[in-house]
Amino acid sequence: MRVGLSCEYFPGSQDRSPRATLQRAAEEGLDGVAFASPLMVSSRLDRHELMAIRDLAADLGLYLEVGIGAIATPDRVIPAGEAESLLDACLVLGSTEITAYTKLDRFDPGHAFPVQLDGVVTLLTGLAAKARNAHAHLNLETHEDLTSTDVLRVVQAVGPDVAGVSFDLANAVVRGEHPLHVLEQLAPHVRQTQLEDVTLSLTKNGLRRHLAPCGGGITDWAKVIDVLGGLPEPPNLTVEQHRGQFDIEVFDPTWVDAHPDLEPAGVLALVAEAVRSARQDRDGTWLQLSQEPQARGEQEFLEHLRLSADHLRLVLAESSRTDRMTAAGRETGRPLGGGGTYEGVQG
């Protein structure tokens, strides 16, 4: 599996051209890049501009994944013609794994959440024939507004031969689900990733999600890589590091009622992670809850991206070594590691 970067959050990408962004990614030793929308590559969706970036990525040896951006809000789904133009641009760029994400709201009193999801299904179904003809997949992101069950319903309704999942690990916790539980449920459909780590703290109404570089949070990356690497077509590992924080109000009955598919085991797993991270004073009472972290500077932000990429590569290398030792053990009849100790990489 290759390790790349989501350009949307690449420091300085807003001020440099797509060409310069690709060149910078190659200088960082990354294997690929992802753009949330082809509009980030060419604001006019100019075919020649798109093809030039496609060719540059190929020359630099970078994978190139491009999405069609945000496709729905509670009161609006983007027009079918607009979505088709974005899809066409993705295909010109050579991207056949295409992410789409939503900005729905299950608490909007004026727009029933199932109806919001129906709009997403209708739009993606309208794009399905063109995607099939191009041997492409429309991958719905596990965005912070959707549960894994919501995503699975859309994939099954559109058709799992053409609809897949873009697995954003950190977003899973926002809906009260443990990332590994979500990955296990959605794994057969995962075709893209957006990866960063999370830590959790306790709040008055539940939990708060804080973002961290891969390897700096609660995630068991060895298990994540094991699941993704075992898929028929293992996806690229695209690092995404932004500053978005969310409260997860799992102690609020209203919030819980809005999540009828909520699994108690997942919530308990998240609370346990937060408790393990919590500090206590001498008499055992909780210290004041951690404050919202201040925005990091560009240099620290870039360093976090490098830490994530380095950690993923380390886990990949360890996984590959374990696979070789296991294969050797089968051939010789000896146990893994020859009966010695084995030091695994833990996320």
Side-chain angles (χ1 to χ4, degrees):
M1 286 183 284
R2 298 173 292 178
V3 178
L5 169 71
S6 174
C7 291
E8 188 174 2
Y9 303 105
F10 195 5
S13 62
Q14 301 298 324
D15 302 319
R16 67 169 68 98
S17 68
R19 175 176 290 273
T21 295
L22 263 62
Q23 291 170 334
R24 180 64 188 280
E27 291 169 1
E28 287 288 331
L30 295 165
D31 301 320
V33 294
F35 290 98
S37 166
L39 293 169
M40 297 175 66
V41 178
S42 171
S43 60
R44 302 176 299 160
L45 300 183
D46 181 86
R47 185 177 182 86
H48 295 292
E49 293 177 357
L50 298 172
M51 292 174 64
I53 293 300
R54 178 199 65 192
D55 294 344
L56 177 61
D59 290 343
L60 293 172
L62 299 174
Y63 72 75
L64 185 61
E65 294 182 349
V66 190
I68 58 174
I71 59 173
T73 61
D75 60 351
R76 181 181 182 271
V77 176
I78 65 172
E82 178 182 341
E84 187 166 344
S85 295
L86 292 169
L87 174 58
D88 286 338
C90 292
L91 297 175
V92 171
L93 282 160
S95 178
T96 54
E97 298 299 340
I98 299 165
T99 297
Y101 67 93
T102 58
K103 295 183 176 180
L104 308 183
D105 184 358
R106 66 190 65 237
F107 297 99
D108 188 327
H111 302 87
F113 191 72
V115 176
Q116 297 178 44
L117 274 183
D118 288 343
V120 174
V121 170
T122 299
L123 178 70
L124 294 181
T125 299
L127 299 175
K130 174 166 285 193
R132 283 192 183 96
N133 289 337
H135 304 288
H137 299 95
L138 304 167
N139 302 319
L140 185 61
E141 181 185 341
T142 54
H143 207 237
E144 60 261 11
D145 51 317
L146 301 179
T147 66
S148 58
T149 301
D150 296 330
V151 172
L152 188 58
R153 286 172 179 164
V154 172
V155 169
Q156 291 175 335
V158 176
D161 65 314
V162 70
V165 174
S166 178
F167 175 62
D168 188 315
L169 183 146
N171 281 339
V173 302
V174 180
R175 300 268 65 92
E177 299 181 281
H178 194 285
L180 284 176
H181 297 176
V182 172
L183 179 56
E184 289 167 358
Q185 180 181 8
L186 298 179
H189 309 288
V190 171
R191 306 193 67 90
Q192 291 177 282
T193 65
Q194 298 179 51
L195 302 176
E196 56 206 316
D197 219 328
V198 297
T199 62
L200 296 166
S201 60
L202 292 166
T203 69
K204 183 177 181 180
N205 290 321
L207 305 168
R208 177 165 296 162
R209 183 195 76 172
H210 308 277
L211 298 175
C214 298
I218 68 173
T219 305
D220 184 335
W221 288 100
K223 288 186 178 179
V224 170
I225 296 302
D226 183 59
V227 173
L228 294 175
L231 297 177
E233 297 180 53
N236 295 316
L237 306 177
T238 301
V239 175
E240 178 188 61
Q241 188 76 47
H242 58 79
R243 297 180 173 93
Q245 311 295 353
F246 286 93
D247 282 354
I248 311 149
E249 299 180 346
V250 293
F251 301 159
D252 181 349
T254 301
W255 190 94
V256 173
D257 288 344
H259 297 76
D261 302 310
L262 196 64
E263 291 285 347
V267 176
L268 289 173
L270 295 182
V271 172
E273 297 286 3
V275 169
R276 279 192 283 269
S277 301
R279 297 175 298 172
Q280 293 180 293
D281 64 18
R282 292 180 181 177
D283 63 5
T285 58
W286 299 113
L287 289 175
Q288 184 174 351
L289 297 171
S290 58
Q291 299 297 311
E292 193 75 14
Q294 295 183 356
R296 299 187 298 269
E298 292 297 306
Q299 189 56 41
E300 185 182 357
F301 199 72
L302 182 58
E303 183 60 26
H304 280 207
L305 289 171
R306 290 168 175 162
L307 287 171
S308 287
D310 289 347
H311 186 75
L312 291 175
R313 285 176 172 145
L314 178 65
V315 179
L316 282 169
E318 185 65 23
S319 176
S320 178
R321 186 177 77 89
T322 301
D323 289 344
R324 291 196 301 271
M325 292 175 66
T326 301
R330 291 196 196 101
E331 293 175 1
T332 63
R334 297 173 60 190
L336 177 63
T341 59
Y342 168 67
E343 295 180 1
V345 177
Q346 296 185 1

